[in-house]
Each structure stands twice: as structure tokens, then as C-alpha cells.
Amino acid sequence: MDTTRRFIRFWNSGAAALGSVGALYFKHWATSHLSQQLAWFLAALIVATLTFCSDLFASWLIDNSKFLRRKLWRHRFVEGLWKEAILVTKGPERVLRGVALVTIGYAEGSPVVSGDVFLCDGSPDGNFTSVSASYRDSLLNYSYKGVLVRKGDSFGHGHLSFTRPPVGEPITFQGKFSGEELDYGSLHVFGDKVVNDAEIRRAQQPEDRDALIREVVEHFKERFPDYRPLAQPPADSAPIREGGER
């Protein structure tokens, strides 16, 4: 992300400037005890080591501080839990294919997208995690791998466009994902951010999760009344295999 790279460059510039000042003082002291060539070599080594360590520390700090990332990205900050409607429009047919609980996080310098997918009767339909992702100008693009419950391994691409509110962070997105194993080829999605702490805790508790999924389904049924809810999977679907992610 551009904001992250700018922060790391700024951090490293500051570290290099401080290191250069320190190295000059060290060189001034060292020339009275060492040869001039060795003093210059050690001073340059100090600057290079400090810059390298500074880059590692800045990256570690961004990876491990959600507070810092929120401050850096401000109105473009999209991490958190999202409830998602999976919509299909094929000719005159409009179908609410299912819903998902999607988590957007951050690790090793890039976004991480993962989630669990459910049919409209609340039964599991699959899960997924991103294998690569990029986020820029409110657009999140990712490639994923996973498992569809009755079809096995799943691979594809997702694209999410977040709506910027006049103030604050985005709370909605629209987009699509596609994969060869999907019934409809390309599915459109609509997401609402879960901002209620109680709902976030319920999503993390197995005993409360089923009821939350049913509420999410009802929420999107009301939101998209023209879309027919799909409650059952295709009759020819295959059983799930052990392991995997969407």
C-alpha cells in the first residue's frame, strides 16, 4: 500500500539522518584511535546497519499495530469483520446465493482476506482465504483458495470496491469474485461492516454463531427483496473432502 511504503520511507530517512550524525561523531572520535580508512568504514557500517534494522522494525511495527495502521490509512481503513451477500443475476433470474462472514486483516505487508460462506438456510457452503492481495484507492483485489462444501477445492479471484463516507471509515463495499468451480462463473457481492462489538463477539463464539448467521440471512433478504434465496445446494454436488480453504 502506498501509505505504508511512504511511512517506511519516512521512518528510514529519519533513522538514516540520525545514524549519519552519530556516525560522524563516531568517526571524529575514532580517527584519534584508528586509521582514517578504518574509521570511515566503521562509520558507514553503522549507518547501513541502523538503516537495515530501522526498515525491519518499521515493517514489524506496521504488521503488529492495528492502531498505527488505522492512523495511517484513516478513511481508507477497511480491516475488521464484514457480513456479505452473494448475489446472482442471470437473465431474468435473481438469486441470493448465500451469505458470508468475511474478515479483512493484515500480515507481512499486505491485506489478508478470509471467510466462511453459508447458504440461505444457514448451512455451511465453504470457506476461503486469500493467497495474495493488494489494496489501493479503496479497491481490494485478491486471489483465494478454499473449499466448497459439496464441490471440493476452490480457486479464484475477488475484487471489492469500498464506498468512502463523507466522514469516517468505509462501512460498505460492492464487488465480485469468480472461480471455475462456481455454478454461475462470477458472483456479485455486497458487504456491510460489522461495527457492533456484541455481534463481533457472537461471530467468534460457536454457540452464538448459528443464530448470527440466520440474522445475517434475514438482513440481506430484507435488503434485496427481489432476489430469491437459495436454501439448498445443487443435487449433483459432491461431498466435502478433508482440509482446505476457499
Side-chain angles (χ1 to χ4, degrees), residues 3 33 44 78 83 85 92 96 133 137 149 155 162 200 225 230 236 240:
T3 303
H33 299 80
V78 296
K83 49 191 177 186
L96 175 59
D137 297 332
V149 169
F155 302 92
F162 295 85
I200 294 173
L230 180 66
D236 60 349
I240 189 170

Side-chain angles (χ1 to χ4, degrees), residues 160-175:
L160 305 179
S161 175
F162 295 85
T163 304
R164 284 192 194 176
V167 220
E169 301 165 1
I171 54 173
T172 61
F173 67 70
Q174 297 183 58

Side-chain angles (χ1 to χ4, degrees), residues 22-146:
L24 287 174
Y25 276 104
F26 170 80
K27 186 261 178 188
H28 178 73
W29 170 85
T31 48
S32 60
H33 299 80
L34 305 169
S35 67
Q36 186 170 359
Q37 291 84 354
L38 182 59
W40 273 114
F41 172 77
L42 292 175
L45 184 62
I46 288 173
V47 174
T49 302
L50 185 58
T51 302
F52 176 75
C53 292
S54 171
D55 184 77
L56 291 179
F57 180 72
S59 299
W60 176 89
L61 190 62
I62 292 172
D63 276 351
N64 290 276
S65 175
K66 188 175 180 178
F67 173 81
L68 176 59
R69 295 195 300 272
R70 177 173 260 128
K71 290 298 182 183
L72 286 174
W73 300 328
R74 297 177 295 171
H75 58 278
R76 291 173 294 175
F77 184 79
V78 296
E79 290 182 43
L81 180 66
W82 296 76
K83 49 191 177 186
E84 177 184 88
I86 303 170
L87 307 171
V88 176
T89 303
K90 191 175 183 181
E93 184 182 26
R94 294 185 174 186
V95 177
L96 175 59
R97 176 68 175 75
V99 300
L101 290 179
V102 176
T103 300
I104 300 175
Y106 186 89
E108 299 181 354
S110 64
V112 178
V113 188
S114 61
D116 296 302
V117 185
F118 304 86
L119 296 174
C120 292
D121 62 1
S123 61
D125 192 36
N127 57 78
F128 72 95
T129 187
S130 60
V131 293
S132 64
S134 64
Y135 179 59
R136 183 176 181 181
D137 297 332
S138 300
L139 297 174
L140 175 59
N141 298 306
Y142 63 94
S143 298
Y144 68 81
K145 65 176 181 178

Side-chain angles (χ1 to χ4, degrees), residues 1-23:
M1 298 180 185
D2 289 345
T3 303
T4 304
R5 285 194 290 269
R6 283 198 298 270
F7 172 79
I8 292 176
R9 282 199 299 267
F10 174 79
W11 182 279
N12 288 342
S13 297
L18 290 175
S20 299
V21 172

